[in-house]
Amino acid sequence: MIQFYEHFPVISVMGLFLAAFLVEIFGNKNKTIRYGISLIACLAAAAMTLYLIIPVFRDGKIISYWMGGWAPEGGYAFGIGYEIDGLGLFFGILTSITFLMSVIFSKRYMERDAHLGHYYTLFLMLAGSVLGLVFTGDVFNLFIMIEIMTFAAVALTAFRHGKHPEALEGAFKYLVLGSIGSSLTLLGVALLYLSTHTLNMAQISALLSSQGFKPTTLFAFAMMLSGLAVKSFVVPFHTPAADAYATAPASVSTLFSGMVNKAGIYGMIRLTYILFRVMDRESVMLLLALIGALTMFVGVTMALAQHDFKRLLAFHSISQIGYVLMSVGLGSVLGLYGGLFHALNHTLFKGLLFLTAGAVYYATGTTNLDKLGGLAKRMPATTACFLVGAFAISGIPPFNGFASKWLIYQAAYEKAVQSGNFVYVIITITALLVSVMTLASFIKVTSAAFLGQQPASLKEVKEVPFSMQLPMFIMSALCLICGLLYRPVLTYLVGPAVSAAMDPSAYIDTMMGSGYAITHGVLPSSMGFAMISAWDPRFWLLLFIIVTCAVTLVAVSDARTRGPVSLPQPGETDAKHATFFGGEKSTHSHVSGSDLFWGFKKDLKGYFHVIGDLHSGRTNDYALWVVLGVTVIMLFTFIFLS
Amino acid sequence: MFKKLIAESMTKSPWIYHVNTGSCNGCDIELVACLTPRYDVERYGFKLAGTPRHADIVVVSGPITSQSKDRLIRTLEQVPNPHCVVTIGSCPQSGNVFKGSYSVEAPLEKFCEVDVAIAGCTPKPEAIIEGLYKAAQILKKKREAMQ
Amino acid sequence: MPEFVSNLLNILLVALHVLVFPGLLFAAVGGLLLAGIDRKVLARMQRRVGPPIVQPFYDFFKLMGKETIIPAAARPGIYQAAPIIGMVSLSLMMLFFPIFGHSAAFATKADLIVILYLLTIPAVALIIGGSASGSPFAGVGISREMVVMLGYELPLVMVLLTVAKKVGGDTMTFALEDIAVWQLANGSLLFHWSMIPAAIAFLLIIPAEVGTQPFDVAEAETEICEGPLIEYSGAPLAIFKLNTAMKMFVMTALFQVLFLGGIDLGKYWLLGGAVLFVISAVLTVLCMTFIHAITARLKVEHLFKFYWTVVAGLALVSLVLVWFGL
């Protein structure tokens, strides 16, 4: 008896693809039809995905769906199967939140652009492909989805090439490197098919478990890992991300950081934890952790050197993905909790930050930090949302970024102490340090764009319309909620995903018939973990609010004893309220983003020169980076896994 | 209780902002001498502040040259109430030997109310300390008048 | 009814903890006294008479009575809220510290990493507040403040990890309670020779965290007119000055928790603890004053280099020693 909700995954993916074609056919002229179709498709897909929480997360079911009813015959899966376990659904939820917020934001944000029919077509293709990628149970189908995702993403990157010629350059880099990544994945898939004679992930997992690793499968592992690493933009494959994120429209950048690079991370978790089950092989996982640590450090230091709002966010996206990968690479249950929770949080706060960047662009027409300033006066809602996002990403308690980083530090240091490997200590210190650097670069954005002095050209800036504020408010609220209620979120959202990754036997049995996993020797990993200590953000926030109110009350009630408050007259600037310039008349003298943190940059100028030169902007160099990265991964795989 | 405490504190922690309006540097040196271990005005709570926003007492030295007049007035505007203005030396009081020059605007009384004027060219540190101490008492009276 | 009464009593107890001991009032009074001792001792070291020890109280109350001018370029909301946020987060931090083996009021609600991050909130409040005042001097000031923070954060992180490893052994712990219990059983961490470099590193971090000479680049009043505080006046300035004093107090308390928690006072913990607390806080501040008295302000790039080489090196020595079980 098939339950009605078992059709939801397929309907949501197909619905998005179908809507993409409908927009192209009917929506090119009429903007109501165009936007209506897109919104309805996104709403429906998101609603169906979120509905799956009930069977999958609450009841612990795994939903399998064979396309065309092609169930396995004689122990071999021939058809394309969709299979939604906790891990897939977890990333499905991230994806649906992202495209839903982005489509609401797009309505007004994109209104000044032409050819919006193409925009929404590509938008829906991108959303559908990522959703399909996380729902599919078939490696070749996974490759197809990656291909659709890459090309839709490339085209969306170049969408504003008329106004911003550099968008074309970003798209070209993305196209070249993305194609390399896709080819690597395809090669890996082909080799896997060669050695296991099946494309079904559940069956591959079981067969690899019983057969052991052969050189072919190891080669396939290295190829697929590199291909997925290119898709998730980790160092040294991160180079196209900066250009693509920075030049794409902000709504698309939200999609990139919210779901496109998460798709790569999802693939890597699926590959290492379920297909090859190498999470106990410390050497290989250490490679992931090291790549993660390198990614977060390079990402954040490059971000410190940027003076374009969106490019800075792009490098932070890379850096935060480094956190996720590092934590996943620890191979422990606590690490996976931290990593997946950080992936969720990253989707929320980075999506929020890209939306605020989009709002700033919409209102002022630029994202150059040297030209912005003092926006808080004219755009209070955007500023408030930006501050929430900035505090969340820098890990200021009680926002969500802190909760997941806190888990990651615990997991990393616990791993260090348990394994006795000093490398993990360095990784932990890097993670803690990167967090402060993240704070530093967001302080830069805050003071350069939102606070500080207001240039004369920005005196007439208006706050963005409500339909753009709404997704920002929702994301801000989610950031706070995930930070305050991190325990329920961990238990009910992240927990099922972690158990799905650590124990694939139910995943295999659902697809291939019960008992298949045991006969092939798939054993569950231990699920035990303990939090090392406690943090109660609700308690802290409650006390914080109460004490703040008390202090404020005392201050207000005692206004006669206290000195008077002298507010400036609106409109005119008298000498008393003018900014102090050593007695001179106050003039516009904005400390722009590029001028901050001079001492830091001077002391580390050796490093900054090298890293700056390495990011040469030439596609050839970047392709070389990819080749180097693939070589390292391959060497590691063959030395430590065979 | 707090009202009294605050009024009392006014006399015990006056922060000084020093403006040089074309002084010959003699008075400035004597003011700095007050901070040195020999005289140590910090024992009365006096401290040099870096910005007029933090100041309680603005110390003006020099004959108010035309160039510095606007800047001085602007700076005095930016000091929060209650505050005192103290002049050191004869220059801001009368113009001293520069009196009658086309580029000198002294006395300071033309532009703002002066609370304490410490005469001399240059005044001794003891005189400066006494003047500042008197200014601190005036500060308390001003605070009480504000209520 | 009795249940209602006991609930009420509990709430009153929490309120007492938060507002009086060891929360807001205790931290504020203690911090201001420490600041006063600092100024007095500094004066004596320079052969001056120096201000009375209660001088910071006079400063605080005087500033409370002054006019608060909100500059036209400032964002009034953020400008006035920033100091209060810093003050409240500092006072709440005191609730998580166990004092000489006695459990903290809310020990189970936060750990070492949380403390590390809560410590950044006052600094961020200062930065955001300064930035909201719209002055370019403040812009330079916050830039320097942030570089200082980047500087001391690396050694601080290493010190905390060293303590976690030393105390937890093969299981490592971040819980402050465990650190206190371990020290009661094994003696204060300061007296384990492998921890001495880490303790020195921590003592060198306190002046930068608080912002006293030679690490006061952010508020250098002679070059950038008090940096982030340039436009502040009246009550908000008073609270910022209070924050600095409270930060000094919190950091000395943290030093005791991490390095001096091994003195067992049995049932006299309250009286003996109070006395010891005062003595060790004063001693810690004296270390700071000593550095203050004999040095001049560093340049920001020298400061950063100092922390990433000398201080981080000291912390690394301890970390490596502890890592090999010493």
Side-chain angles (χ1 to χ4, degrees):
Chain A
M1 171 69 194
I2 289 185
Q3 297 286 333
F4 67 100
Y5 57 74
E6 296 194 16
H7 297 287
F8 278 4
V10 177
I11 297 175
S12 55
V13 176
M14 290 303 152
L16 286 170
F17 283 139
L18 194 65
F21 291 107
L22 287 180
V23 166
E24 192 60 45
I25 295 167
F26 299 112
N28 255 333
K29 293 273 152 56
N30 187 326
K31 72 176 181 194
T32 319
I33 294 178
R34 176 168 70 212
Y35 189 71
I37 294 175
S38 317
L39 187 64
I40 289 168
C42 287
L43 268 176
M48 283 192 266
T49 311
L50 292 178
Y51 181 83
L52 292 179
I53 290 177
I54 297 173
V56 176
F57 281 177
R58 198 191 63 186
D59 305 338
K61 280 192 185 143
I62 292 177
I63 298 168
S64 66
Y65 190 96
W66 293 98
M67 296 278 183
W70 280 67
E73 288 279 337
Y76 267 91
F78 297 107
I80 297 172
Y82 267 31
E83 179 161 25
I84 295 90
D85 63 345
L87 187 63
L89 183 60
F90 181 76
F91 281 92
I93 291 168
L94 302 192
T95 309
S96 33
I97 293 174
T98 310
F99 65 66
L100 192 57
M101 293 303 140
S102 182
V103 80
I104 299 173
F105 190 78
S106 294
K107 182 173 190 295
R108 294 296 300 278
Y109 178 66
M110 296 301 291
E111 69 191 354
R112 297 168 194 161
D113 290 79
H115 308 297
L116 281 184
H118 304 322
Y119 171 80
Y120 284 109
T121 306
L122 291 164
F123 186 101
L124 292 168
M125 295 279 270
L126 187 61
S129 64
V130 180
L131 208 54
L133 193 154
V134 296
F135 281 166
T136 189
D138 185 284
V139 265
F140 191 71
N141 203 241
L142 185 120
F143 164 73
I144 303 266
M145 291 303 179
I146 285 181
E147 276 294 89
I148 300 174
M149 178 183 95
T150 310
F151 286 107
V154 167
L156 279 174
T157 304
F159 190 74
R160 279 191 173 152
H161 65 87
K163 221 184 298 173
H164 302 283
E166 66 272 18
L168 217 50
E169 190 193 334
F172 178 70
K173 284 179 196 161
Y174 195 175
L175 180 67
V176 172
L177 299 201
S179 306
I180 298 178
S182 303
S183 324
L184 291 171
T185 318
L186 180 61
L187 193 55
V189 170
L191 288 168
L192 264 188
Y193 187 53
L194 175 74
S195 53
T196 59
H197 309 292
T198 180
L199 288 168
N200 187 285
M201 292 208 246
Q203 200 180 3
I204 291 174
S205 170
L207 290 176
L208 283 176
S209 216
S210 61
Q211 289 172 1
F213 297 148
K214 291 179 289 189
T216 338
T217 46
L218 285 184
F219 195 67
F221 176 77
M223 286 296 127
M224 281 192 77
L225 191 63
S226 323
L228 290 164
V230 174
K231 298 297 166 191
S232 55
F233 303 122
V234 294
V235 172
F237 313 117
H238 65 289
T239 43
D243 284 323
Y245 287 35
T247 52
S251 52
V252 175
S253 309
T254 308
L255 292 184
F256 286 175
S257 78
M259 54 191 218
V260 170
N261 57 15
K262 295 300 180 315
I265 288 290
Y266 162 81
M268 282 155 91
I269 297 177
R270 192 56 99 194
L271 185 73
T272 47
Y273 279 73
I274 291 183
L275 288 187
F276 284 78
R277 300 188 51 68
V278 289
M279 62 276 203
D280 301 328
R281 309 287 275 272
E282 199 179 282
S283 44
V284 177
M285 295 312 273
L286 183 60
L287 174 69
L288 288 193
L290 280 176
I291 292 179
L294 188 67
T295 305
M296 56 191 173
F297 191 74
V298 171
V300 83
T301 44
M302 282 304 289
L304 273 171
Q306 303 305 318
H307 47 90
D308 182 88
F309 193 177
K310 275 173 75 192
R311 190 173 279 269
L312 183 139
L313 289 180
F315 276 109
H316 274 295
S317 234
I318 295 164
S319 169
Q320 300 299 313
I321 283 298
Y323 269 103
V324 178
L325 188 64
M326 184 274 274
S327 191
V328 165
L330 295 173
S332 65
V333 179
L334 191 56
L336 201 53
Y337 263 101
L340 290 179
F341 189 28
H342 200 67
L344 167 68
N345 291 340
H346 177 240
T347 297
L348 296 176
F349 56 62
K350 190 44 70 60
L352 171 62
L353 287 169
F354 269 121
L355 294 186
T356 55
V360 168
Y361 178 83
Y362 181 87
T364 66
T366 180
T367 51
N368 188 340
L369 290 179
D370 295 343
K371 290 182 186 155
L372 292 170
L375 289 176
K377 276 218 159 142
R378 311 295 305 186
M379 305 172 73
T382 308
T383 309
C385 292
F386 170 80
L387 283 178
V388 170
F391 289 155
I393 195 174
S394 346
I396 300 284
F399 293 103
N400 58 353
F402 175 70
S404 52
K405 281 182 185 176
W406 180 66
L407 281 179
I408 291 174
Y409 303 145
Q410 284 186 26
Y413 203 51
E414 189 189 47
K415 180 80 181 176
V417 172
Q418 278 172 1
S419 67
N421 195 340
F422 202 75
V423 177
Y424 286 110
V425 179
I426 296 169
I427 290 176
T428 315
I429 294 174
T430 313
L432 279 157
L433 193 63
V434 166
S435 182
V436 193
M437 293 189 182
T438 310
L439 177 65
S441 61
F442 277 95
I443 290 293
K444 173 164 133 176
V445 182
T446 315
S447 68
F450 291 99
L451 303 175
Q453 276 193 319
Q454 202 171 27
S457 58
L458 298 178
K459 290 272 191 256
E460 299 305 316
V461 165
K462 280 196 197 69
E463 180 63 286
V464 293
F466 181 73
S467 76
M468 283 168 76
Q469 288 176 21
L470 180 70
M472 296 198 278
F473 286 143
I474 296 174
M475 299 281 244
S476 312
L478 285 176
C479 277
L480 196 57
I481 290 170
C482 280
L484 289 179
L485 303 176
Y486 75 96
R487 265 173 197 280
V489 170
L490 279 181
T491 318
Y492 299 114
L493 273 178
V494 186
V498 174
S499 18
M502 295 308 272
D503 177 15
S505 51
Y507 180 78
I508 295 168
D509 283 354
T510 312
M511 215 55 172
M512 304 304 299
S514 66
Y516 196 87
I518 298 290
T519 50
H520 286 80
V522 177
L523 300 170
S525 304
S526 76
M527 278 299 295
F529 80 102
M531 296 249 206
I532 293 145
S533 44
W535 160 232
D536 193 343
R538 284 170 298 171
F539 172 82
W540 185 86
L541 188 70
L542 192 69
L543 279 185
F544 186 85
I545 290 172
I546 291 172
V547 178
T548 310
C549 289
V551 170
T552 315
L553 260 181
V554 169
V556 172
S557 68
D558 201 21
R560 273 184 54 77
T561 312
R562 203 165 62 98
V565 175
S566 159
L567 278 163
Q569 296 297 319
E572 48 182 305
T573 45
D574 50 345
K576 184 170 185 177
H577 298 96
T579 312
F580 174 62
F581 271 86
E584 297 294 326
K585 220 174 178 147
S586 50
T587 47
H588 180 74
S589 160
H590 184 55
V591 179
S592 61
S594 317
D595 304 332
L596 293 180
F597 313 136
W598 170 85
F600 175 71
K601 281 185 209 148
K602 176 165 188 278
D603 276 340
L604 296 181
K605 64 172 182 278
Y607 171 78
F608 277 111
H609 280 169
V610 169
I611 201 80
D613 289 348
L614 282 177
H615 290 80
S616 60
R618 283 192 289 271
T619 318
N620 304 11
D621 291 0
Y622 291 169
L624 192 66
W625 285 50
V626 173
V627 174
L628 281 177
V630 175
T631 318
V632 171
I633 289 178
M634 198 135 55
L635 281 176
F636 236 84
T637 314
F638 274 94
I639 292 170
F640 291 110
L641 265 190
S642 51
Chain B
M1 185 185 96
F2 281 109
K3 271 185 198 173
K4 262 182 100 175
L5 196 57
I6 288 173
E8 202 54 43
S9 301
M10 284 287 164
T11 63
K12 305 245 168 140
S13 112
W15 292 356
I16 302 165
Y17 185 74
H18 175 208
V19 187
N20 175 336
T21 58
S23 158
C24 69
N25 214 23
C27 297
D28 309 335
I29 285 178
E30 294 305 316
L31 182 66
V32 172
C34 296
L35 296 167
T36 54
R38 179 180 280 271
Y39 297 102
D40 188 30
V41 281
E42 206 193 344
R43 67 179 188 266
Y44 300 118
F46 287 91
K47 210 172 92 171
L48 274 186
T51 144
R53 301 271 192 220
H54 296 193
D56 305 294
I57 299 176
V58 182
V59 172
V60 181
S61 60
I64 332 281
T65 57
S66 321
Q67 282 290 329
S68 65
K69 188 193 82 184
D70 287 348
R71 286 145 181 97
L72 174 67
I73 291 171
R74 215 173 279 125
T75 306
L76 287 172
E77 279 281 307
Q78 292 176 342
V79 182
N81 290 320
H83 70 268
C84 289
V85 179
V86 175
T87 61
I88 307 188
S90 305
C91 298
Q93 249 177 302
S94 63
N96 208 359
V97 293
F98 308 106
K99 188 169 177 145
S101 163
Y102 64 95
S103 64
V104 161
E105 308 267 348
L108 183 60
E109 273 94 347
K110 281 199 287 190
F111 313 111
C112 72
E113 189 188 324
V114 175
D115 297 283
V116 178
I118 306 166
C121 183
T122 70
K124 289 166 82 174
E126 287 90 339
I128 295 178
I129 293 172
E130 196 193 345
L132 290 177
Y133 190 79
K134 275 189 181 149
Q137 307 303 321
I138 295 171
L139 214 52
K140 181 183 173 187
K141 288 202 190 86
K142 284 194 174 174
R143 157 74 193 175
E144 276 160 354
M146 266 166 73
Q147 295 296 315
Chain C
M1 253 320 159
E3 199 184 333
F4 168 74
V5 172
S6 73
N7 276 342
L8 196 69
L9 276 177
N10 270 335
I11 292 174
L12 277 178
L13 193 67
V14 170
L16 193 73
H17 276 312
V18 173
L19 293 178
V20 183
F21 179 86
L24 191 58
L25 198 64
F26 180 61
V29 172
L32 288 176
L33 274 178
L34 279 186
I37 293 171
D38 179 43
R39 275 176 76 176
K40 185 79 185 174
V41 174
L42 180 70
R44 296 305 301 157
M45 282 180 180
Q46 294 172 344
R47 292 198 162 186
R48 289 190 282 127
V49 177
I53 286 176
V54 288
Q55 183 62 43
F57 291 91
Y58 292 141
D59 291 353
F60 177 76
F61 284 112
K62 176 207 74 181
L63 286 172
M64 285 308 274
K66 296 269 289 184
E67 187 185 25
T68 306
I69 299 174
I70 294 172
R75 257 56 71 191
I78 303 175
Y79 179 83
Q80 290 182 83
I84 296 180
I85 286 171
M87 178 174 77
V88 175
S89 67
L90 274 167
S91 68
L92 288 184
M93 226 179 302
M94 286 302 291
L95 302 174
F96 304 129
F97 293 157
I99 297 171
F100 291 110
H102 185 72
S103 285
F106 306 109
T108 54
K109 307 285 190 196
D111 68 2
L112 217 46
I113 300 288
V114 178
I115 296 292
L116 176 70
Y117 276 82
L118 289 181
L119 269 175
T120 61
I121 296 183
V124 171
L126 178 65
I127 288 170
I128 297 281
S131 184
S133 67
S135 164
F137 288 105
V140 178
I142 62 160
S143 161
R144 291 179 174 200
E145 174 82 28
M146 202 60 233
V147 174
V148 174
M149 204 161 141
L150 283 169
Y152 69 69
E153 205 77 2
L154 176 69
L156 186 57
V157 161
M158 285 160 131
V159 170
L160 298 188
L161 291 184
T162 312
V163 171
K165 166 73 179 152
K166 177 79 183 172
V167 170
D170 288 340
T171 49
M172 80 105 189
T173 180
F174 284 133
L176 291 163
E177 201 71 6
D178 293 350
I179 294 169
V181 171
W182 189 89
Q183 291 192 66
L184 280 183
N186 297 301
S188 297
L189 277 172
L190 186 61
F191 306 123
H192 292 254
W193 64 272
S194 58
M195 293 299 291
I196 290 174
I200 297 173
F202 195 89
L203 282 177
L204 285 171
I205 289 166
I206 298 177
E209 177 88 45
V210 178
T212 58
Q213 221 163 305
F215 308 116
D216 60 341
V217 286
E219 284 161 34
E221 76 275 2
T222 40
E223 326 164 12
I224 49 169
C225 316
E226 318 260 352
L229 297 179
I230 177 170
E231 292 293 330
Y232 272 95
S233 56
L237 179 64
I239 296 177
F240 265 133
K241 293 282 176 193
L242 179 66
N243 283 356
T244 313
M246 278 168 79
K247 214 188 240 179
M248 199 190 288
F249 192 69
V250 168
M251 288 305 282
T252 51
L254 186 58
F255 182 75
Q256 285 167 53
V257 172
L258 294 182
F259 293 102
L260 289 172
I263 302 161
D264 193 359
L265 298 159
K267 62 182 172 185
Y268 301 110
W269 70 269
L270 189 62
L271 190 66
V275 173
L276 271 181
F277 190 89
V278 171
I279 293 174
S280 52
V282 170
L283 283 178
T284 319
V285 165
L286 287 188
C287 296
M288 213 174 96
T289 315
F290 181 67
I291 302 172
H292 184 168
I294 60 170
T295 50
R297 186 183 304 132
L298 286 172
K299 279 190 196 172
V300 65
E301 70 265 31
H302 292 167
L303 185 148
F304 182 78
K305 203 178 270 174
F306 176 73
Y307 275 99
W308 274 42
T309 52
V310 178
V311 185
L314 281 172
L316 187 65
V317 167
S318 266
L319 183 57
V320 171
L321 285 177
V322 167
W323 191 255
F324 290 109
L326 291 167

